[in-house]
Amino acid sequence: MRPTNVGDPDYFHKVVDCQWACPAHTPVPAYIRLIAQGQYGDAYLLNRASNVFPGILGRVCDRPCEPACRRGRVDEAPVAICRLKRVAADHRGDIEAQLPKKPAKTNGKRIALIGAGPASFTVANDLAPMGYECTIFERQSAPGGLMRSNIPAFRLPEHILSEELNYILDMGVELKLGAGVESMKALLDENWDAIFIGTGAAKGKDLILPGRDASDRIHIGTDWLDSVAFEHTENIGKNVLIIGVGNTAMDCCRTSLRLGAKTVKVMARKPRAFFKASAWELDDAEEEDIEILVNHSPKSFVIENGKLVGMVFEKMEYTLDDAGRITGQSVSGEITIPCDDVILAIGQDNAFPWIEKDAGIEFGKWDIPKVDEATFESTKAGVFFGGDAAFGPKNIIWAVEHGHQAAISIDKYCQGKSVSDRTPDDVKLAPTKMGMFEWRYSNAYDDSDRRKMRHVELVDRFSKLDVEVELGFSPEQIATEVERCLNCDVQTVFDAPLCEECDACIDICPVDCLSMEASGQPEDALRTALHSTEEEQALFVSDSLPLTGRVMIKDENVCLHCGLCAERCPTAAWDMQEGLIHIHHANDQDAGGGESLS
Amino acid sequence: MSSFAKPLIRRKDAPTNDLGLIRADYDGAMSTLCAGCGHDSVTAGLTRAFFELSIAPHKAVKVSGIGCSSKTTAYFLGQSHGINTVHGRMPAVATGAVAANSALSYVGVSGDGDSLSIGLGQFVHAMRRNVNMLYMLENNGVYGLTKGQFSAAADFGASSKKGEINEQPPLDPVSLALSVGATFVARAFSGDKDQLVSLIKAGLKHKGFALIDVISPCVSFNDHKGSTKSYAHAYKYYHPAIHADYVPVGKEITAAYQAGELLPVEMHDGGTLQLRKLQNGYDPRDRARAMAKVFETKDSDETVTGLLYIDETQKDMHALNRMEARPLNEIPYAELNPGADKLEALQKKFR
Ligand SMILES: Cc1cc2nc3c(=O)[nH]c(=O)nc-3n(C[C@H](O)[C@H](O)[C@H](O)COP(=O)(O)OP(=O)(O)OC[C@H]3O[C@@H](n4cnc5c(N)ncnc54)[C@H](O)[C@@H]3O)c2cc1C
Ligand SMILES: Cc1ncc(C[n+]2csc(CCOP(=O)(O)OP(=O)(O)O)c2C)c(N)n1
Ligand code: SF4
Ligand code: SF4
Ligand code: SF4
Ligand SMILES: [Mg+2]
């Protein structure tokens, strides 16, 4: 293996597992340190620069960062990253003066943003302060997209949502409500400088089985949640069946309870290991006594005298291989389960009935528009897609990242520059050493368990539709949870010429992730030397060491960033340095970038 | 944060030994030695050897004297037995402990000052008696703890940190051991962990006294230019000559060697010691050859390391003195203390 190039901006970025896993690359450990110092406002603003909606995401983010968190490799549970984001939002104080502002003068470029979901709002957030005149067109009577219409208020209170949307509207963004766009061609005729399509993928899938058309008590989950959110639906029958076991199903079952249902059953076709819903959403539903029945495949609706009275399911049996994959299935019987309402929560599709086939925008498989994965440009120059509309249903944080990227493209497009000429990330290293065994981060390993979110008592929860279930973290919980973060962005930086080869770092390392080995060996030999099992993570290889010509190697997978190697090193060959990963948004594309470390 | 104790962390993929323990289970308290001290590396070698041999920590005993080296017994095997004795008196205390309970694994940790000056007499007699223990002599050429005076192991012509030259001949623990009948004599370097660990394992499995003279640089007082015990000097001149790999009973010998390259020595516990990389007919079972080899290289810069001499056939202290094999604490009280009459009878015999 050749020596590692730590100047590659991705190298240290990848070490920060949470930040790397976050689609918008939120600098998680940096904001956790700010929270630890009580600087909630700064923590909020640091979050906002990447993910735009810390208050919203601190409650309902899909949190891909958490399964990635390094802590999970040495402890039962990852850092409660999402909860800490909410802490920053809850305690941020008055930060409005520090938000990007409406510019004194616009630049005369008019941008149309279709759909008022997180994707369009992010584009507006990035472009409006730069002087672009952004107009958002929304079919509904209120903005927010699925965040308002589908994510229930008991998970995401309305005032939290509105507050963060208003920050962006206050930047001089025009919002047109009840303004569904019916024709792409007509829109093109309006001569916008650029168009962004953030209309989502809100067409819930239907389930065509015998009896489907004979009752109006069979609902499509996303539409039903929508009508609850906009107060068109205010109650539901006593017994409700939810078909499907994804996150939409979890919101449907919990909403049903709040509309008066007494027993709610979630019907899953497969065993638990195959559930699509996030673990915490399942936990929260089961805490509310929702029953989840596995291995039930829907067969038909039972209609008596024109009324829905139940549903027939086939009971499934599966054979699994050692890896847990399904290798075979059979039907072992049938069962009828009585019910008053059925809610179908089996997925969503994209649909663009308003984009004419000859509007110049090409569509590919599954009627998904052909969109460039880096620039988000469609096949028609100046028309960009993002959020669920681009590549099908994802989540809010992906919609945000799409928005950031589309904003870069729109700016470049409007300035007559190439949309594919984008500023690469760069990394800057800052020392953390304050003195002998003193660092400006909390390097000691704290073995506390993950703090558990407190919930509103069950009895109080169902009184109103919008009682927020999660209470947020207490001061004690905050103080403990911040210390669980390992500060993965404080990088171990090695300077080979300084090394005395005394072994002190290797000996002290609590996870045995360092070694010195003969140079020129292949990667698998080096991995074996470190008992390294996770090839997704890099193996650091130093330049040749001065005394023996060997190389220092390090398994980045398990390093705890505890700094003990640097503390025990007699020559400071190992040092702990904060790696600031600079990700360029639309407003700092000209700020240089691509600089490498010296 | 000021330096904190090395935390016990269980990597989810950490390798375990036959007892289901991980390497970190063999750690002790956080070291207070200078950062970069060779002794810490020897400590790490000891934890690894005990871990790899699957010796339960509570079946081990650590004994030491006074010095930075002697302090290190606190830094490994936190769950074992141990005693820190007065300066140079570790061998006597170890001898007593081994006599009382021979069923445990004993490791003595000492320095060149502790063993070769104040404790020289004790050190040689423990070898002579062939006490069943591993003796780690962490050799840095100075009294580290008292700020770097030359020890008796300082080489002729070596300079101190302040520049004075040592004009007295050194005491070499290896030739000393060979001359007083030690049955396992090895030399190692703290910077070569693989060699060190295999020697420790072999020494722990040897029935009798096993000496490992480890070059273990003192970064604070003897790591300068002109020192013959610095890292730079050791890396430049140390020469691993005879490797010793301990293979437990029933385990396959995997690596392939050319004929004549490999010399197996059968150990008391049924395991085998594979000696390899032997130069032109060198046989570590031949004491005269070992002596010759050590003297040949004495005046050159080259430091030969590895298992220089082994004799598995000699009786250890227990066998020699026909001592009780059972630990005293397992012998029923009546048998252990047969009463005043028996004592009276015994005393009569000697009058
Ligand atoms: C039930 C449910 C729960 C979810 N829970 C979570 C969660 O907890 N966490 C998470 O991260 N993600 C969740 N998601 C996914 C998340 O809400 C979406 O991925 C995200 O909102 C997509 O954002 P977007 O900006 O692409 O579009 P959307 O949020 O879908 O917004 C699109 C907007 O465009 C409008 N629109 C559509 N067509 C037109 C038109 N022709 N003219 C004008 N306006 C139009 C729509 O009315 C809508 O307001 C959930 C989704 C569902 C269905
Ligand atoms: C009886 C007695 N005499 C002298 C001392 C002072 N003293 C402490 S450590 C030491 C020498 C230790 O040298 P060494 O064994 O080589 O240990 P190192 O610190 O070099 O590892 C001496 C002389 C003492 N503690 N007790
Ligand atoms: S420990 Fe902290 S920095 Fe590391 S992955 Fe987890 S949250 Fe991120
Ligand atoms: S910071 Fe250094 S000592 Fe700590 S885990 Fe990482 S490599 Fe090991
Ligand atoms: S003084 Fe020397 S021997 Fe003692 S701890 Fe420091 S480096 Fe080690
Ligand atoms: Mg010494």
Side-chain angles (χ1 to χ4, degrees):
Chain A
M1 258 188 109
R2 294 167 53 79
T4 304
N5 171 19
V6 297
D8 174 349
D10 283 353
Y11 184 78
F12 283 140
H13 189 176
K14 224 174 148 180
V15 170
V16 196
D17 299 271
C18 47
Q19 186 173 10
W20 182 255
C22 173
H25 303 306
T26 305
V28 175
Y31 83 66
I32 293 181
R33 279 195 297 278
L34 287 171
I35 294 172
Q37 293 157 11
Q39 302 192 52
Y40 302 107
D42 290 339
Y44 180 86
L45 291 167
L46 188 63
N47 258 290
R48 194 183 181 284
S50 302
N51 59 51
V52 186
F53 304 108
I56 296 169
L57 290 165
R59 290 169 167 81
V60 301
C61 187
D62 249 359
R63 49 198 100 150
C65 51
E66 292 194 12
C69 172
R70 182 172 295 270
R71 182 94 194 184
R73 286 173 220 144
V74 288
D75 197 347
E76 286 314 307
V79 174
I81 300 172
C82 187
R83 271 70 210 268
L84 290 173
K85 195 184 310 304
R86 171 170 171 185
V87 166
D90 283 356
H91 303 284
R92 66 185 182 271
D94 186 3
I95 46 86
E96 282 186 48
Q98 286 141 279
L99 292 174
K101 285 180 192 56
K102 176 178 176 170
K105 232 172 80 207
T106 66
N107 64 7
K109 302 279 184 197
R110 295 162 56 248
I111 316 295
L113 306 160
I114 319 304
S120 291
F121 263 88
T122 301
V123 176
N125 174 73
D126 287 6
L127 293 181
M130 294 172 72
Y132 288 91
E133 293 170 17
C134 298
T135 307
I136 303 178
F137 294 89
E138 169 57 52
R139 181 168 63 191
Q140 300 270 24
S141 57
L146 290 176
M147 301 192 294
R148 182 181 303 272
S149 66
N150 267 223
I151 299 182
F154 59 82
R155 287 207 290 128
L156 175 58
E158 198 275 337
H159 68 274
I160 301 284
L161 172 66
S162 295
E163 198 174 20
E164 293 195 308
L165 295 177
N166 287 338
Y167 284 164
I168 297 169
L169 294 177
D170 289 347
M171 294 171 195
V173 173
E174 192 180 350
L175 173 65
K176 297 201 169 192
L177 294 172
V181 175
E182 306 299 340
S183 158
M184 184 71 203
K185 282 170 138 178
L187 186 69
L188 288 169
D189 286 344
E190 293 172 19
N191 286 326
W192 297 90
D193 289 289
I195 296 172
F196 176 79
I197 298 169
T199 50
K203 191 167 165 280
K205 284 190 178 137
D206 204 346
L207 183 62
I208 309 302
L209 293 174
R212 170 67 183 92
D213 295 329
S215 169
D216 59 0
R217 303 290 290 266
I218 302 166
H219 319 279
I220 289 176
T222 48
D223 295 346
W224 181 77
L225 286 169
D226 195 291
S227 71
V228 175
F230 288 100
E231 296 172 3
H232 306 308
T233 294
E234 281 168 347
N235 44 51
I236 196 159
K238 267 208 167 74
N239 298 308
V240 180
L241 296 183
I242 316 286
I243 310 298
V245 68
N247 288 340
T248 305
M250 295 303 106
D251 284 338
C252 290
C253 65
R254 297 177 73 193
T255 300
S256 300
L257 287 179
R258 285 156 176 82
L259 292 189
K262 289 291 167 254
T263 58
V264 182
K265 292 187 168 73
V266 174
M267 310 301 295
R269 224 158 53 80
K270 290 183 184 168
R272 198 169 177 107
F274 297 88
F275 289 4
K276 288 222 176 71
S278 317
W280 60 89
E281 299 234 27
L282 289 165
D283 289 347
D284 290 349
E286 288 181 326
E287 182 183 301
E288 295 181 358
D289 283 337
I290 302 280
E291 196 184 346
I292 303 178
L293 296 170
V294 297
N295 300 349
H296 282 70
S297 179
K299 191 175 178 211
S300 61
F301 299 94
V302 186
I303 311 285
E304 278 173 15
N305 306 324
K307 188 171 170 284
L308 176 73
V309 294
M311 229 186 135
V312 182
F313 294 87
E314 287 178 341
K315 293 183 83 171
M316 306 299 294
E317 274 175 7
Y318 298 95
T319 49
L320 304 177
D321 66 11
D322 287 347
R325 287 177 299 236
I326 291 178
T327 52
Q329 61 177 58
S330 57
V331 176
S332 67
E334 248 178 49
I335 181 172
T336 302
I337 299 183
C339 65
D340 304 310
D341 287 85
V342 169
I343 303 178
L344 303 172
I346 54 172
Q348 292 151 256
D349 278 328
N350 292 46
F352 301 94
W354 56 280
I355 301 184
E356 296 86 350
K357 291 281 163 281
D358 57 351
I361 295 170
E362 283 178 40
F363 284 79
K365 261 205 299 198
W366 324 110
D367 272 339
I368 299 225
K370 287 190 178 167
V371 176
D372 185 284
E373 285 184 22
T375 65
F376 294 84
E377 194 168 29
S378 70
T379 53
K380 187 166 182 66
V383 177
F384 302 85
F385 282 75
D388 290 356
F391 309 116
K394 284 196 165 150
N395 55 33
I396 301 168
I397 190 66
W398 269 115
V400 167
E401 176 58 11
H402 291 181
H404 283 314
Q405 294 306 324
I408 293 172
S409 300
I410 292 171
D411 172 48
K412 297 213 182 268
Y413 178 78
C414 290
Q415 305 303 328
K417 297 178 186 157
S418 159
V419 292
S420 51
D421 180 16
R422 306 165 92 85
T423 310
D425 300 347
D426 49 282
V427 192
K428 289 203 174 61
L429 291 173
T432 62
K433 200 178 175 87
M434 307 269 286
M436 178 99 154
F437 304 152
E438 290 286 345
W439 310 92
R440 64 176 171 80
Y441 75 106
S442 172
N443 64 322
Y445 181 80
D446 184 317
D447 66 359
S448 305
D449 293 331
R450 179 180 164 115
R451 302 293 99 177
K452 230 174 122 60
M453 176 57 79
R454 297 164 306 144
H455 287 173
V456 171
E457 293 296 327
L458 278 177
V459 284
D460 302 323
R461 231 183 256 190
F462 304 119
S463 58
K464 279 197 296 182
L465 194 52
D466 59 356
V467 176
E468 185 175 13
V469 173
E470 297 186 343
L471 289 167
F473 269 178
S474 68
E476 178 280 329
Q477 288 179 305
I478 299 171
T480 307
E481 194 64 38
V482 290
E483 289 300 326
R484 295 185 71 242
C485 173
L486 301 171
N487 299 283
C488 302
D489 62 339
V490 180
Q491 304 286 353
T492 55
V493 179
F494 187 68
D495 194 0
L498 291 181
C499 177
E500 268 236 292
E501 305 185 42
C502 71
D503 274 13
C505 54
I506 299 174
D507 299 336
I508 196 69
C509 177
V511 286
D512 297 328
C513 71
L514 302 175
S515 185
M516 285 186 278
E517 299 293 329
S519 66
Q521 295 191 68
E523 176 164 356
D524 48 343
L526 297 181
R527 285 203 183 268
T528 309
L530 288 174
H531 305 286
S532 162
T533 50
E534 178 53 65
E535 310 229 336
E536 280 289 290
Q537 295 284 330
L539 197 67
F540 166 81
V541 180
S542 76
D543 290 331
S544 289
L545 301 176
L547 294 180
T548 62
R550 292 180 295 173
V551 289
M552 177 72 76
I553 61 170
K554 175 181 176 224
D555 181 6
E556 295 288 12
N557 186 43
V558 286
C559 167
L560 302 174
H561 299 257
C562 66
L564 283 174
C565 50
E567 289 193 2
R568 299 303 294 172
C569 179
T571 62
W574 281 112
D575 191 21
M576 305 307 294
Q577 298 185 10
E578 184 181 8
L580 302 149
I581 293 138
H582 187 167
I583 291 157
H584 299 260
H585 289 151
N587 65 356
D588 69 350
Q589 285 291 301
D590 299 327
E595 302 161 49
S596 61
L597 300 164
S598 52
Chain B
M1 162 89 203
S2 23
S3 191
F4 61 96
K6 178 172 173 178
L8 173 58
I9 289 169
R10 295 178 172 278
R11 244 172 86 169
K12 284 189 177 156
D13 59 355
T16 52
N17 66 9
D18 295 346
L19 302 174
L21 299 175
I22 64 171
R23 219 272 308 123
D25 290 324
Y26 289 79
D27 278 340
M30 180 81 165
S31 170
T32 56
L33 302 188
C34 307
C37 178
H39 301 347
D40 278 336
S41 203
V42 180
T43 299
L46 285 161
T47 64
R48 216 175 97 190
F50 276 92
F51 162 71
E52 288 177 8
L53 286 175
S54 296
I55 296 173
H58 68 281
K59 295 281 191 189
V61 184
K62 308 167 295 188
V63 273
S64 64
I66 297 293
C68 297
S69 35
S70 295
K71 282 172 72 180
T72 63
T73 45
Y75 312 144
F76 64 96
L77 293 180
Q79 302 298 310
S80 65
H81 313 275
I83 181 166
N84 203 195
T85 73
V86 283
H87 206 8
R89 270 53 184 163
M90 176 265 277
V93 175
T95 305
V98 173
N101 187 344
S102 62
L104 306 173
S105 295
Y106 287 84
V107 52
V109 179
S110 179
D112 44 334
D114 193 60
S115 291
L116 302 179
S117 294
I118 194 170
L120 187 68
Q122 301 233 337
F123 173 52
V124 263
H125 284 288
M127 293 197 274
R128 237 189 95 242
R129 291 196 183 104
N130 207 17
V131 179
N132 188 13
M133 70 183 293
L134 168 66
Y135 195 104
M136 305 296 294
L137 198 161
E138 301 182 358
N139 194 339
N140 52 16
V142 289
Y143 297 169
L145 191 68
T146 51
K147 293 195 163 25
Q149 302 83 352
F150 282 129
S151 78
D155 285 312
F156 197 76
S159 70
S160 75
K161 200 174 180 180
K162 289 228 172 91
E164 52 180 308
I165 306 291
N166 176 41
E167 293 176 39
Q168 294 184 58
L171 256 175
D172 170 31
V174 166
S175 15
L176 192 64
L178 287 169
S179 71
V180 299
T183 50
F184 180 112
V185 183
R187 198 187 272 133
F189 166 40
S190 67
D192 185 346
K193 195 69 70 35
D194 288 339
Q195 184 199 43
L196 179 64
V197 170
S198 31
L199 287 173
I200 294 172
K201 283 159 68 173
L204 284 168
K205 287 295 168 183
H206 171 67
K207 187 112 179 140
F209 192 94
L211 170 71
I212 306 180
D213 174 31
V214 196
I215 299 158
S216 174
C218 169
V219 280
S220 295
F221 300 111
N222 206 7
D223 198 28
H224 47 271
K225 215 164 176 251
S227 159
T228 55
K229 295 260 186 325
S230 65
Y231 280 109
H233 193 278
Y235 273 115
K236 188 158 177 201
Y237 295 111
Y238 99 102
H239 176 68
I242 306 105
H243 292 287
D245 305 310
Y246 171 74
V247 184
V249 209
K251 285 260 163 71
E252 282 282 326
I253 297 157
T254 43
Y257 298 103
Q258 286 174 8
E261 213 189 15
L262 200 69
L263 189 73
V265 176
E266 194 161 319
M267 306 295 277
H268 262 82
D269 70 342
T272 328
L273 206 55
Q274 298 286 333
L275 302 176
R276 62 190 163 83
K277 212 176 178 186
L278 309 165
Q279 295 164 325
N280 45 13
Y282 183 80
D283 184 348
R285 293 169 306 185
D286 181 340
R287 190 200 304 244
R289 290 291 294 275
M291 282 274 218
K293 178 90 190 162
V294 170
F295 276 90
E296 273 161 30
T297 50
K298 217 171 191 160
D299 293 327
S300 74
D301 275 328
E302 187 178 300
T303 316
V304 192
T305 62
L307 182 50
L308 301 169
Y309 178 67
I310 181 166
D311 183 355
E312 261 313 90
T313 65
Q314 292 300 314
K315 291 178 174 162
D316 73 343
M317 177 177 77
H318 264 66
L320 242 117
N321 296 295
R322 290 170 287 283
M323 288 161 75
E324 175 59 52
R326 287 174 297 167
L328 299 189
N329 62 8
E330 285 175 19
I331 298 175
Y333 185 72
E335 195 184 330
L336 196 62
N337 180 4
D341 314 347
K342 290 269 162 61
L343 177 65
E344 184 64 51
L346 180 73
Q347 283 173 332
K348 245 189 196 145
K349 266 175 52 183
F350 294 112
R351 275 184 198 129

